[in-house]
Amino acid sequence: MSRKLLTATLLVICVAILYTKESFHSEIARALNWFPQSVPSTAQIEVGFSPEAGAEELVIKAIASAKKSILVGAYSFTSKPIVQGLIDAKKRGVEVRAVLDKSNTSNKSGTAAANLLANADIPTRIDSEHPIHHNKIIVIDDAHIETGSFNYSAAAAHKNAENAVVIWNNPELAKMYADNWAIHWEHSAAYRSTY
């Protein structure tokens, strides 16, 4: 790390500690994520598009590949097949956790999907820290990442112009995504089913 970058990082950390109410760990993680990062690319990459051009199927394929863990970060979260895929993964013994945008507590379809996760004993949290939690990511087995514009919704699958990308077998990149996901998990509130 260059001296200039190190100085800027330390300054950001000090300011964050002095002027916020969040935990020390959260502020350090946030400060370090302000800078673009790069990782080597040796992974296989798959892509799907929508409407009706493989995006939702690719997301479901990625979920079905999980053997030990799934971390979900979602904005619009209403896709029944994706919700079912996560529940099926939980039934297989995969540890599944989700951070959802607060909009999922104010619309019928989002609330229904969040309830299904919570009722399946999948720890689910609502991120109200930001104007919107606009992430669309899934980290699988600390090695694979699904991302792209594709919201986990029926509209994204059948109406919108969207893309989904899965980067297979890149643990270094998966760790970066998981670390960022953990920041949002930490400041999000636990979701409890409404029925």
Side-chain angles (χ1 to χ4, degrees), residues 70 72 83-91 94-98 114-125 185 191:
I70 297 174
V72 178
V83 170
Q84 189 60 55
L86 294 170
I87 292 170
D88 291 346
K90 170 75 175 180
K91 289 177 182 176
V94 175
E95 179 188 10
V96 181
R97 294 185 288 159
N115 283 341
L116 287 168
L117 292 185
N119 291 336
D121 293 323
I122 294 174
T124 302
R125 292 190 178 181
W185 177 262
Y191 180 80

Side-chain angles (χ1 to χ4, degrees), residues 56-73:
E56 186 174 55
E57 292 80 3
L58 181 58
V59 173
I60 293 166
K61 174 184 176 180
I63 292 168
S65 77
K67 296 185 180 15
K68 62 179 183 170
S69 65
I70 297 174
L71 305 175
V72 178

Side-chain angles (χ1 to χ4, degrees), residues 23-90:
S23 74
F24 176 74
H25 169 31
S26 178
E27 287 307 317
I28 289 175
R30 185 187 314 264
L32 294 177
N33 278 322
W34 282 352
F35 300 101
Q37 301 170 46
S38 61
V39 295
S41 178
T42 58
Q44 176 187 354
I45 298 172
E46 284 187 76
V47 63
F49 299 96
S50 64
E52 308 292 349
E56 186 174 55
E57 292 80 3
L58 181 58
V59 173
I60 293 166
K61 174 184 176 180
I63 292 168
S65 77
K67 296 185 180 15
K68 62 179 183 170
S69 65
I70 297 174
L71 305 175
V72 178
Y75 175 59
S76 180
F77 187 73
T78 61
S79 168
K80 290 177 185 176
I82 291 173
V83 170
Q84 189 60 55
L86 294 170
I87 292 170
D88 291 346
K90 170 75 175 180

Side-chain angles (χ1 to χ4, degrees), residues 84-149:
Q84 189 60 55
L86 294 170
I87 292 170
D88 291 346
K90 170 75 175 180
K91 289 177 182 176
R92 292 194 313 271
V94 175
E95 179 188 10
V96 181
R97 294 185 288 159
V99 176
L100 307 178
D101 181 66
K102 64 184 172 281
S103 63
N104 291 287
T105 63
S106 62
N107 72 68
K108 186 177 178 180
S109 297
T111 300
N115 283 341
L116 287 168
L117 292 185
N119 291 336
D121 293 323
I122 294 174
T124 302
R125 292 190 178 181
I126 301 298
D127 188 348
S128 298
E129 179 78 10
H130 310 284
I132 59 173
H133 176 88
H134 208 237
N135 282 323
K136 300 131 177 131
I137 62 138
I138 302 175
V139 180
I140 301 157
D141 294 341
D142 301 319
H144 320 294
I145 306 97
E146 184 281 324
T147 190
S149 70

